[in-house]
């Protein structure tokens, strides 16, 4: 029981380490902790503007509209100028399927558009990967679940959802690009910034996980180094490493929180007219902040308080306030470790 206090930073570091490791490995394979995404792009309605535009133009939609009809191309907004033929055929072909449900256009098309365009309904960003798949039972169902199809490494360019979508759209039945669907430079800029931030978050997360793991090791080592002549070295090492780990945890958590909130807000704002939306993962934020909170309070806090008490007590009495040695063992007279001496300690 006497060594109980040292259990505090050990357990806190262990809990924090497990949490950051889970956050780091979420999405490492399809379906693994899919709910712990940083944010998810909902692409189920991407391209809905094409249909709205067309339906606004013809009160009587005609399912057999010729794909290359010049008059349709003339009516379409200018950004559709060049690939009008294929875009129009995409829209016309979709339109024929939803002809009975024009009033409910946004809900009805959401479930079919992605499939018709050859893309997935969602793309979820995780720390190290980006996963894609379909909503189930369907995209418009309340509380729709996710059925993940595949995940790919994000660090080698995979975070760029635009290039992923472009590849899939080009390979799809209508051979179009995001730009044809009305992707603006501004929105592309937001996505590019998000790529950069996500890379930074990934690297910070890897370093943070390593530091929290190291902090766990050094607090475990402290059991063996104390009571003993290396008590001071153990204390200082733990203080330094736990300070670094705490700082990185804090920076990472703040970065994740602020950056994703800004990105989601902008994507939803600028993406609305082309049918792109995004949603932030709350569980991911929760475990990141839980790891940070537990570590700050009970690991960094422990070593900070011990160091403070030791300095304060050491100056007056040779052992910390309260008459107990900081590690919870027997009273110890503060030795002359600063000068390399050994002899004056009692254990
Ligand atoms: C995806 O977006 C569509 C269109 O904006 C929306 O109707 C649907 O509820 C969203 N689905 C999910 C699961 O967020
Ligand atoms: C989507 O799923 C919900 C719940 O299962 C269902 O009520 C709704 O009709 C479905 N929507 C479409 C467009 O299939
Ligand atoms: C998920 O998708 C796969 C392939 O599309 C399908 O076979 C499977 O039944 C789906 N799972 C659920 C739970 O809907
Ligand atoms: C992401 O992909 C888009 C489309 O392929 C491209 O225009 C953009 O430059 C890429 N951004 C980055 C940061 O690579």
């Amino acid at each position: 029981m006497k060594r109980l206090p040292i259990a505090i930073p050990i357990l806190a570091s262990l809990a924090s380490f497990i949490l950051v490791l889970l956050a780091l490995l979420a999405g490492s394979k399809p379906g693994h902790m899919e709910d712990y995404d940083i944010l998810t792009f909902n692409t189920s309605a991407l391209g809905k503007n094409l249909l709205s535009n067309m339906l606004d133009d013809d009160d009587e939609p005609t399912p057999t509209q010729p794909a290359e009809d010049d008059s349709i191309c003339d009516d379409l907004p200018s950004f559709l100028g060049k690939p009008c033929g294929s875009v129009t055929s995409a829209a016309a072909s979709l339109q024929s399927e939803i002809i009975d449900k024009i009033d409910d256009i946004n809900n009805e098309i959401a479930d079919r558009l992605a499939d018709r365009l050859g893309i997935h309904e969602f793309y979820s960003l995780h720390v190290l990967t980006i996963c894609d798949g379909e909503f189930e039972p369907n995209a418009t169902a309340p509380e729709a679940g996710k059925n993940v199809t595949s995940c790919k490494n994000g660090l080698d360019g995979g975070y760029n959802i635009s290039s992923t979508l472009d590849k899939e759209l080009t390979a799809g039945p209508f051979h179009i690009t995001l730009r044809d669907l009305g992707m603006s430079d501004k929105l592309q800029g937001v996505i590019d910034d998000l790529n950069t931030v996500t890379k930074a978050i990934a690297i910070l997360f890897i370093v943070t996980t390593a530091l929290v793991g190291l902090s766990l090791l050094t607090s475990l080592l402290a059991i063996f180094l104390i009571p003993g002549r290396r008590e001071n070295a153990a204390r200082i090492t733990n203080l330094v490493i736990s300070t670094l780990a705490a700082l990185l945890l804090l920076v990472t958590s703040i970065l994740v929180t602020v950056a994703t909130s800004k990105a989601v807000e902008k994507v939803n704002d600028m993406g609305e007219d082309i049918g792109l939306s995004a949603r932030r993962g709350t569980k991911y934020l929760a475990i990141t902040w839980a790891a940070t909170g537990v570590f700050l309070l009970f690991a960094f806090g422990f070593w900070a308080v011990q160091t403070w008490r030791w300095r304060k007590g050491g100056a007056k009495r040779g052992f910390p306030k309260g008459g107990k040695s900081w590690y919870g063992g027997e009273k110890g007279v503060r030795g002359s470790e600063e000068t390399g001496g050994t002899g004056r300690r009692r254990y």
Side-chain angles (χ1 to χ4, degrees):
M1 287 308 277
K2 291 202 159 179
R3 296 245 175 123
L4 203 55
I6 190 75
I8 296 172
I10 292 174
L11 290 178
S13 302
L14 182 63
S16 189
F17 182 66
I18 291 172
L19 288 174
V20 287
L21 202 61
L22 285 177
L24 189 66
L25 296 181
S28 53
K29 55 180 194 286
H32 179 244
M33 293 179 71
E34 177 53 37
D35 288 349
Y36 293 79
D37 54 325
I38 299 180
L39 61 85
T40 292
F41 290 100
N42 175 351
T43 49
S44 63
L46 193 70
K48 70 168 188 184
N49 50 324
L50 293 182
L51 290 164
S52 319
N53 285 334
M54 288 193 69
L55 292 173
D56 284 348
D57 287 346
D58 326 277
D59 291 330
E60 288 271 304
T62 39
T64 49
Q65 241 157 13
E68 307 289 338
D69 190 332
D70 278 346
S71 67
I72 297 173
C73 290
D74 290 345
D75 287 344
L76 286 169
S78 56
F79 62 77
L80 293 174
K82 198 185 96 209
C84 174
S86 53
V87 173
T88 309
S89 70
S93 136
L94 268 162
Q95 201 182 345
S96 67
E97 288 180 20
I98 52 158
I99 192 158
D100 296 330
K101 303 268 188 175
I102 293 155
D103 291 341
D104 201 15
I105 183 160
N106 285 341
N107 286 337
E108 275 300 310
I109 62 171
D111 274 331
R112 308 197 185 167
L113 207 44
D115 185 41
R116 296 300 315 238
L117 292 176
I119 61 174
H120 294 280
E121 286 180 346
F122 70 81
Y123 295 82
S124 54
L125 203 56
H126 296 276
V127 185
L128 297 178
T129 57
I130 182 159
C131 300
D132 52 43
E134 282 17 274
F135 288 115
E136 61 185 27
N138 60 49
T140 43
E143 306 286 313
K146 291 177 184 170
N147 186 354
V148 181
T149 308
S150 65
C151 295
K152 65 178 177 185
N153 186 342
L155 278 169
D156 58 5
Y159 294 135
N160 190 348
I161 190 206
S162 304
S163 69
T164 304
L165 282 172
D166 266 343
K167 267 182 218 140
E168 293 180 1
L169 284 168
T170 313
F174 301 112
H175 314 296
I176 51 179
T177 66
L178 261 186
R179 210 150 274 278
D180 302 334
L181 293 178
M183 180 82 162
S184 66
D185 284 342
K186 261 184 143 177
L187 184 53
Q188 183 60 52
V190 172
I191 287 179
D192 286 349
D193 288 349
L194 183 64
N195 293 341
T196 313
V197 172
T198 312
K199 267 185 199 153
I201 289 172
I203 290 164
L204 273 173
F205 237 101
I206 293 170
V207 177
T208 305
T209 310
L211 268 175
V212 174
L214 190 61
S215 179
L216 174 61
L217 281 183
T218 53
S219 53
L220 279 171
L221 270 181
I223 295 180
F224 303 105
L225 293 179
I226 60 170
R229 48 193 279 216
R230 296 201 195 87
E231 178 178 327
N232 200 30
R235 188 189 355 253
I236 298 296
T237 308
N238 271 293
L239 183 68
V240 168
I241 291 178
S242 64
T243 305
L244 281 177
L247 268 177
L248 270 172
L249 274 168
L250 205 57
V251 167
T252 311
S253 303
I254 292 174
L255 186 64
V256 171
T257 310
V258 174
T260 55
S261 142
K262 285 236 160 92
V264 164
E265 191 183 309
K266 285 184 180 166
V267 167
N268 285 336
D269 182 32
M270 298 177 190
E272 197 190 350
D273 50 349
I274 65 165
L276 180 67
S277 63
R279 197 165 58 180
R280 190 146 71 131
T282 48
K283 288 187 183 168
Y284 178 79
L285 277 185
I287 57 171
T288 306
W289 279 108
T292 306
V294 166
F295 192 89
L296 264 178
L297 280 179
F298 299 112
F300 166 72
F302 179 87
W303 295 113
V305 166
Q306 292 306 338
T307 304
W308 177 73
R309 284 174 58 170
W310 173 77
R311 295 198 115 235
K312 213 176 151 202
K316 290 183 199 144
R317 291 194 304 267
F319 52 83
K321 237 170 139 181
K324 275 199 153 194
S325 188
W326 63 275
Y327 54 82
E330 292 171 42
K331 280 182 188 179
V333 176
R334 191 179 145 217
S336 48
E337 53 272 70
E338 287 104 324
T339 52
T342 54
R344 293 194 291 124
R345 300 175 62 87
R346 293 191 280 120
Y347 303 126

